[in-house]
Amino acid sequence: MISFLDLKARYLELRHELDEAIARVVSSGCFIGGTEVEQFEADYAAYCGATHVVGVANGLDALHLALSAMDVGPGDEVIVPSNANIATWLAVSQCGATPVPVEPDVRTYSIDPALIEAAITPRTKVVLPVHLYGQPADMDPILAIARKHGLKVLEDGAHAHGARYKGQRLGVHGDAVAWSFYPDKNLAAMGDGGAVSTNDAQLADRIRVLRNCGSRIKHENEVKGYSSQLDELQAAILRVKLKHLDGWNTRRKVFATRYQQGFADCNLTMPFVPDWAEPVWHLYVVRHRQRDALQKRLDSTGIETMIHYPIPPHLQQAYSGLGYTPGSFPKSEQVHKEVLSLPAGPTLRLEDVDMVIGAVRAIVSTMS
Ligand SMILES: *Cc1c(COP(=O)(O)O)cnc(C)c1O
């Protein structure tokens, strides 16, 4: 049995350091608003090369608070990928604004910069690319279009801690990056967590106020804020995990390289990596026309896979109000029908990867 995710193995590998960090916080008696969060913010800012990191309760809040701090509100539009995690769209909706989907480049699954300009209207405020599956979106053309039209750029970095675009780590390319530390991400808490990185001091300050009920001074509320804190326990855990992030990303890269070589002459669409991208392989995603049959047969040989994501946001019941139908975003719909994520987590063994390669090759060779 090869499981897709083994979060317990990730704990056991760092057990000693994690137990010590957890005990330190528990015995300090300080659970919200202490030095662990401050130190994690400083550590992660240094890691990203950003001047500010603001910890919040989760990745969706990181997106939502960053958009709010950019003054996105009712009547505004935000450009989002049509193939996305629903959270990216929900953050826009939580501001009272409308997500405006743009199709991906089907080789990289990232928002296609060539299609963004046609989606801009006088109501557009922000462009929100997602660094999907751990591969950076093509930031330079996105930033050029945003600059030309006076728009902000917020990146969704939930899959891409440590990934590099043209040699530089994600964290400072756009106006801000929203991060999630959900337990299955590359940099993961043992519960919920999130953050925003930015070089904009004013934006960071606004998010700090928003996360704390709109308050800077106790009992004085400047704005109608939210309660969205990264807690001390998660921050202490994240400080431990951050030290191991590059090592674990390197392992993911070894597995991804093995897959790329193993599938080189196989009738399967493999991830395409442009020469300017250094992905961190949050997910290793292949495509096949008979995806469902492939997944079922892998499952029967004891190999667990996942689909990211089975239903595109525009066809979710939650977004039926936008009036899209099947066919509205055909590239995205095809991607959602064909993608399959293979096991690629950092605690896998190389033998497991080889077994997956063997099983996939054997199954695919019997398919048209
Ligand atoms: C996980 C995820 C989020 C949301 O993060 P939470 O911490 O679960 O709120 C947002 N965007 C993407 C792409 C994600 O994968």
Side-chain angles (χ1 to χ4, degrees):
M1 171 77 199
I2 299 177
S3 66
F4 185 80
L5 262 186
D6 190 347
L7 297 185
K8 191 170 169 190
R10 297 188 201 177
Y11 162 66
L12 291 175
E13 194 178 316
L14 305 179
R15 181 178 208 160
H16 181 70
E17 282 176 88
L18 288 168
D19 285 356
E20 191 187 82
I22 291 165
R24 183 176 70 233
V25 174
V26 172
S27 60
S28 79
C30 175
F31 300 107
I32 296 273
T35 55
E36 298 286 346
V37 170
E38 275 172 25
Q39 294 207 38
F40 171 69
E41 289 177 342
D43 292 349
Y44 197 55
Y47 181 84
C48 295
T51 45
H52 307 276
V53 164
V54 184
V56 296
N58 55 61
L60 174 53
D61 281 3
L63 289 162
H64 173 210
L65 268 56
L67 289 172
S68 301
M70 291 174 176
D71 282 324
V72 172
D76 293 333
E77 293 176 356
V78 174
I79 292 178
V80 295
S82 54
N83 57 320
N85 182 306
I86 194 77
T88 314
W89 286 43
L90 290 175
V92 177
S93 305
Q94 287 185 358
C95 294
T98 305
V100 175
V102 166
E103 289 264 68
D105 173 339
V106 290
R107 290 178 316 159
T108 61
Y109 311 116
S110 291
I111 193 165
D112 187 345
L115 304 177
I116 291 177
E117 231 164 352
I120 294 173
T121 75
R123 292 167 178 246
T124 310
K125 273 259 177 84
V126 174
V127 183
L128 206 177
V130 180
H131 304 299
L132 201 69
Y133 308 149
Q135 172 148 301
D138 193 0
M139 291 307 296
D140 282 348
I142 295 171
L143 292 168
I145 295 161
R147 236 174 267 127
K148 180 174 156 198
H149 293 270
L151 308 175
K152 299 262 190 211
V153 175
L154 170 64
E155 305 157 60
D156 183 335
H159 288 186
H161 317 80
R164 291 174 189 266
Y165 177 71
K166 297 186 179 171
Q168 191 181 19
R169 277 217 184 99
L170 297 179
V172 290
H173 292 87
D175 294 280
V177 184
W179 304 95
S180 163
F181 307 123
Y182 187 82
D184 68 4
K185 312 290 188 189
N186 288 36
L187 177 60
M190 294 169 83
D192 274 321
V196 179
S197 62
T198 180
N199 281 347
D200 181 337
Q202 213 180 346
L203 192 73
D205 182 66
R206 292 188 76 179
I207 298 168
R208 281 183 199 285
V209 171
L210 284 174
R211 75 174 172 183
N212 187 33
C213 296
S215 169
R216 192 187 307 273
I217 302 163
K218 205 173 167 84
H219 304 306
E220 292 182 21
N221 299 82
E222 294 172 23
V223 290
K224 297 186 198 86
Y226 306 89
S227 178
S228 183
Q229 305 278 350
L230 180 66
D231 67 66
E232 290 284 290
L233 211 44
Q234 300 307 337
I237 288 163
L238 288 166
R239 286 177 64 202
V240 171
K241 298 274 196 85
L242 181 57
K243 290 187 216 144
H244 299 276
L245 176 60
D246 285 344
W248 284 17
N249 280 345
T250 301
R251 283 190 218 165
R252 290 175 184 270
K253 188 178 170 185
V254 168
F255 300 151
T257 305
R258 192 81 158 192
Y259 277 135
Q260 298 287 79
Q261 289 163 352
F263 296 138
D265 55 351
C266 187
N267 182 24
L268 196 70
T269 307
M270 289 188 294
F272 170 77
V273 183
D275 55 12
W276 41 257
E278 290 172 58
V280 288
W281 301 104
H282 172 59
L283 297 168
Y284 184 84
V285 178
V286 295
R287 262 169 59 214
H288 195 275
R289 272 183 212 285
Q290 298 183 54
R291 188 267 317 275
D292 291 340
L294 174 59
Q295 181 176 42
K296 217 165 138 195
R297 287 179 60 186
L298 283 170
D299 192 58
S300 69
T301 65
I303 296 170
E304 190 187 15
T305 58
M306 293 225 205
I307 297 168
H308 298 88
Y309 301 92
I311 305 172
H314 71 277
L315 298 180
Q316 296 284 359
Q317 191 186 341
Y319 281 106
S320 57
L322 293 180
Y324 297 120
T325 54
S328 292
F329 297 97
K331 287 185 195 170
S332 203
E333 288 164 32
Q334 188 177 358
V335 165
H336 283 79
K337 275 192 201 115
E338 296 185 354
V339 286
L340 186 67
S341 307
L342 303 180
T347 56
L348 220 59
R349 301 166 312 164
L350 205 52
E351 303 95 273
D352 298 331
V353 175
D354 288 338
M355 268 184 65
V356 178
I357 292 171
V360 170
R361 289 185 65 98
I363 297 165
V364 166
S365 71
T366 68
M367 292 174 157
S368 54

